[in-house]
Amino acid sequence: MELLMSILIGLIFAAAVYLILSKSLLRIIIGTAVLSHGVNLLVLTMGGLKKGRVPILGTEGTGLYNDPLPQALILTAIVISFGVTAFFLVLAYRAYQELDSESVSKTRGHEADDE
């Protein structure tokens, strides 16, 4: 199962890098969101994909328990990536209002026009 997840994570990373390297601001934002999903899957996979019980103290017996740390890290990363994506969307909207274009190449030429 880990091998299948590793291949899927590699494909997600490849798609994210392809989107980030484009000239459109919206594609870059989508690429960063896809990259954060790939990192979440990577953390989950590295934490171990095993079947076990809930790690609650006080239950009888010892056995195989799932590690709650990767799940907590992923939950935190989801909240942070949501905030970063929202910030990028507002930043892209403001750039579109100022430049009337969503192309990254237009943002570089805008500074020269002001001088």
Side-chain angles (χ1 to χ4, degrees):
M1 185 67 170
E2 281 86 3
L3 180 64
L4 179 66
M5 289 298 288
S6 299
I7 292 170
L8 179 67
I9 291 167
L11 290 174
I12 290 174
F13 279 175
V17 169
Y18 174 76
L19 288 171
I20 289 173
L21 292 176
S22 68
K23 291 185 179 182
S24 172
L25 284 175
L26 290 178
R27 284 184 179 214
I28 293 171
I29 294 169
I30 292 171
T32 57
V34 169
L35 185 67
S36 69
H37 290 307
V39 170
N40 291 340
L41 280 176
L42 179 68
V43 169
L44 184 66
T45 304
M46 292 299 111
L49 300 174
K50 55 186 174 255
K51 295 180 182 175
R53 291 185 284 171
V54 180
I56 298 176
L57 295 175
T59 59
E60 61 277 346
T62 60
L64 188 61
Y65 291 105
N66 288 328
D67 188 15
L69 184 63
Q71 297 172 11
L73 290 174
I74 290 169
L75 185 61
T76 305
I78 289 170
V79 172
I80 292 171
S81 67
F82 176 74
V84 169
T85 303
F87 174 71
F88 282 163
L89 284 171
V90 169
L91 192 65
Y93 180 69
R94 183 70 180 139
Y96 179 75
Q97 281 181 335
E98 288 291 321
L99 303 173
D100 292 329
S101 176
E102 65 157 345
S103 177
V104 175
S105 60
K106 299 275 183 166
T107 59
R108 293 184 187 143
H110 186 65
E111 293 176 357
D113 293 340
D114 289 339
E115 293 177 0

